[in-house]
Amino acid sequence: MSLLFFLFACVSLRYSNAWLGGNDCKDQSDCVSCTNHKTWSGANCRWCPRDTACHAQGSLVNKCSQTENIVNPDDCDKIVYAKYDKNLAHKMIYLCALAYSDDVAKYIPKASEVDTFQLVKQVTKPCSGGALCSGFVAVSHAEKAIAIVFRGTQHFKQLVNEILRILTEPKKSFQAGGQVQVYFSDALDVVWNDLQKYVNEEMNSYPTYKVWVTGHSLGGALASLASTLIMYNGKTTKDNLMLYTFGQPRVGNYDYALTHDGLVPLSFRVTHNRDIVVHLPTCKTLVPGTPCIALGGWPYHHGKEFFYGSEVMTKFSPYKTCEGLPHNEDLGCSNNPAVWSKCLPVELSACIDDHKQYFGISVGTWWKNQG
């Protein structure tokens, strides 16, 4: 009996160590040696580009989602390591602010951070909620970049319509994978059906230029979908497209999040303090304040979150790189109940203000104050 107990304890310890990271796997210090090593199940160990560490299959401390893990040694030289650039984020927010204007070309010279861009095409069309959905593509030869930018929610009536449709309509299948909110998909179609022609022309004309995709609020959701489609259709390489969104709502389910993470490794989701929109649509939890549930088709965030936790947010404000678990819904960042629990109803106004203000810019109304 004592021998059986000893063997059981050894096996239990082996599997326990594997789930916590796996002694054999975690001792590997580079991608090739990691993926040439076997995990507890006999499969290859997983190399995670987020924390540049090796993990066992099913590890509870692996910061990468399923599609981000590298399991094949041949893929090690294809890894795109994501590094957040706060200076680039600061430029992107000005592009987002420009998108709220119906005359982007007029206001580009007034946005000193991005005044080297030249408007190629702005598409503005009626969309659900009595609003105008809009997006534009611009090129900067100084930056060697092509910018694809989407407008956020235009007014309160559109916001009400957006919320009602999210609450009452089931998600729809997305071409690249997973399911997304119908409202976001429809809004993208309104703009993208006309805009993508000009986007493709610029990318074909300047194949070495970086592709910047960005948007604030609803615009962030559309930017997410557009970046996923661009990569799904093979229009550029994974190391060439960068997505920065600000105050982005949850776009789709966990399967969409996995799809996006696999296709768009340079994806950065910037959040500001108590911004209420980043919690919409609400995810499913077993108990309030516990992690979002990935399974079941509920809303789930994608990408890498960078959380600015101060009420006053500037270019130089400290931020947190959110790499905790669960994947993309780090409870130590914007999803921390201590951050958002007072939004309804005590601090609702402040939470809305945090959504409107990024890097000290009133994103939706910036252009109105430029003369």
Side-chain angles (χ1 to χ4, degrees), residues 269-291:
R269 188 165 50 82
V270 183
T271 59
H272 177 207
N273 200 24
R274 299 156 297 183
D275 184 341
I276 193 170
V277 173
V278 304
H279 305 292
L280 303 174
T282 56
C283 68
K284 178 71 172 178
T285 60
L286 292 176
V287 179
T290 59

Side-chain angles (χ1 to χ4, degrees), residues 20-257:
L20 291 174
N23 285 336
D24 291 339
C25 290
K26 72 179 183 181
D27 291 339
Q28 310 309 311
S29 60
D30 64 85
C31 179
V32 174
S33 62
C34 173
T35 51
N36 275 317
H37 228 76
K38 298 299 181 184
T39 184
W40 61 270
S41 65
N44 291 358
C45 297
R46 277 87 170 106
W47 179 258
C48 173
R50 286 204 194 191
D51 59 7
T52 60
C54 189
H55 301 277
Q57 184 179 30
S59 168
L60 299 178
V61 296
N62 187 348
K63 295 176 180 178
C64 283
S65 60
Q66 177 183 325
T67 54
E68 294 174 295
N69 281 317
I70 306 299
V71 297
N72 189 329
D74 294 337
D75 292 330
C76 287
D77 61 353
K78 303 174 186 176
I79 297 176
V80 177
Y81 289 100
K83 184 177 180 180
Y84 175 70
D85 185 341
K86 67 178 183 180
N87 294 318
L88 181 54
H90 193 238
K91 293 178 181 180
M92 295 273 201
I93 199 63
Y94 277 96
L95 291 170
C96 293
L98 287 166
Y100 280 91
S101 165
D102 284 332
D103 190 355
V104 170
K106 176 181 176 181
Y107 294 100
I108 286 180
K110 302 176 186 295
S112 58
E113 292 283 337
V114 290
D115 60 4
T116 63
F117 278 89
Q118 299 173 340
L119 179 69
V120 174
K121 182 67 175 180
Q122 181 178 14
V123 173
T124 303
K125 299 178 71 175
C127 59
S128 179
L132 294 174
C133 289
S134 184
F136 70 89
V137 57
V139 63
S140 168
H141 301 298
E143 296 280 2
K144 295 189 181 302
I146 300 164
I148 306 165
V149 192
F150 296 90
R151 175 188 291 175
T153 303
Q154 189 181 27
H155 49 59
F156 183 72
K157 182 181 177 182
Q158 182 187 15
L159 177 61
V160 172
N161 179 263
E162 184 178 333
I163 293 173
L164 288 175
R165 290 190 60 186
I166 287 173
L167 290 175
T168 59
E169 296 179 349
K171 297 180 186 67
K172 66 183 296 185
S173 295
F174 190 60
Q175 179 183 357
Q179 293 187 321
V180 300
Q181 301 295 335
V182 173
Y183 185 91
F184 299 152
S185 178
D186 288 353
L188 177 70
D189 288 344
V190 166
V191 178
W192 194 241
N193 286 343
D194 289 350
L195 190 65
Q196 65 175 328
K197 169 189 173 184
Y198 300 93
V199 169
N200 291 339
E201 287 177 353
E202 293 306 305
M203 293 173 67
N204 289 335
S205 296
Y206 307 104
T208 63
Y209 280 22
K210 295 294 184 181
V211 180
W212 299 358
V213 189
T214 190
H216 168 257
S217 191
L218 167 65
L222 305 193
S224 163
L225 294 172
S227 67
T228 306
L229 282 177
I230 290 170
M231 295 309 306
Y232 175 73
N233 291 318
K235 296 299 183 180
T236 189
T237 56
K238 288 185 177 182
D239 62 346
N240 203 52
L241 183 146
M242 289 166 282
L243 172 72
Y244 280 72
T245 67
F246 306 87
Q248 174 199 306
R250 293 183 177 96
V251 181
N253 64 1
Y254 182 66
D255 288 341
Y256 172 72

